[in-house]
Amino acid sequence: MNILHQSTEFNSFGIDALTLARPDDWHVHVRDGALLKALLPHTAQQFGRAIIMPNLKPPVTTTEQAAAYRKRILAARPTQGPGTAFEPLMTLYLTDNTSPDEIWRARESGFVHGIKLYPAGTTTNSDAGVTDLRHCAVTLEAMQKTSLPLLVHGEVTDPVVDVFDREEVFIDRVLEPLRRDFPALKVVFEHITTRNAVEYVRHADTSLGMLGATITAHHLLLNRNTMLVGGIKPHYYCLPIFKREVHRAALVEAAISGHPRFFLGTDSAPHLKNFKESSCGCAGCYTALHALELYAQTFDEAGALRRLEGFASFHGPDFYGLPRSIDTVTLERSSWTLPENIDIDGMSVVVFKMSKDLSWKLR
Ligand code: NCD
Ligand code: ZN
């Protein structure tokens, strides 16, 4: 068997195994209660750390709530085998009323690593989100001083803007003015889905605060045709919504480019099957079970396996100012069939699947 470590140059053809520094997930929804207990081990077995989204019901808006949520996450970690050392990196949900003091408390906690902006009405549990960023000016100033990054769900909610254009419009209307008004603010443009976002991030003005972007595995693998042609597939519905093929291709190009502003964020977002398969289905794809394998497949198909480690394991911690992992994982070339569902106390969560089998498996 040819075993390869990422630090050596290679041609991916004929490589059967790939060892890399243990990756981290820079954007994930692990939910709470029964879902958290049943599903957290999937994330913990794949990743060393993960940025935990705060869009619970009610949302995690204070450091105190984040501390309690962190405890529940730690209690859901596997008790043996891989995943026991998993570290949740907490975030707070920004509202019109988040105070600068709360930002200082978050920074002093040592376990809060970002503040999440959901423009009100954009996505799952975003009703308590920000109605107008002008309400948050003093809080954003505190974020500049503490270097706590703002993690943005980058879509406008203006009803006249087409759902497929909401990310592109967000760049001009919100993101660029925000970065000019707060020139030291660190920003992560979360789960980018368009060529426009790729270009904006790649050419970001370096005189302003640091800018990074996460890219999901599902947006690297599928375009909107897969979701809509031949019948609507509710398990592919997520936000931001899948776009045209040119956008998917631009995302792959960014992910494999080796550019340090692009890093892994699964946006794995489990919903119960009956809420997805409904007349008003929830947005979110469940990829935590097999995220690394999905990313490996994308990089392999693009002939860029040697760039996977930077994207999955180095660019994220470098952006967040955290140490790179000293642990490793090994992926093996091996075809496997995923389960259809994860059963949870008589309910189920459908696993994100494509028409073909996966060609990599975590050892
Ligand atoms: C996420 C969820 O369900 O919490 N859904 C999704 O489609 N990605 C929210 C989000 O990140 O937009
Ligand atoms: Zn998300």
Side-chain angles (χ1 to χ4, degrees), residues 180-250:
R180 301 244 157 244
D181 290 347
F182 299 92
L185 188 66
K186 240 172 130 168
V187 176
V188 184
F189 196 171
E190 300 280 352
H191 43 52
I192 58 169
T193 62
T194 57
R195 185 171 56 183
N196 315 66
V198 166
E199 291 306 312
Y200 181 76
V201 172
R202 184 179 282 139
H203 302 297
D205 184 341
T206 48
S207 68
L208 300 177
M210 277 173 85
L211 180 66
T214 55
I215 307 180
T216 79
H218 45 287
H219 287 98
L220 290 172
L221 287 159
L222 300 181
N223 64 32
R224 66 193 195 180
N225 275 17
T226 332
M227 176 179 61
L228 295 171
V229 173
I232 191 160
K233 324 282 187 313
H235 297 290
Y236 290 151
Y237 174 60
C238 62
L239 288 170
I241 199 159
F242 285 131
K243 307 292 191 304
R244 288 174 182 276
E245 175 59 16
V246 286
H247 296 292
R248 189 197 68 82

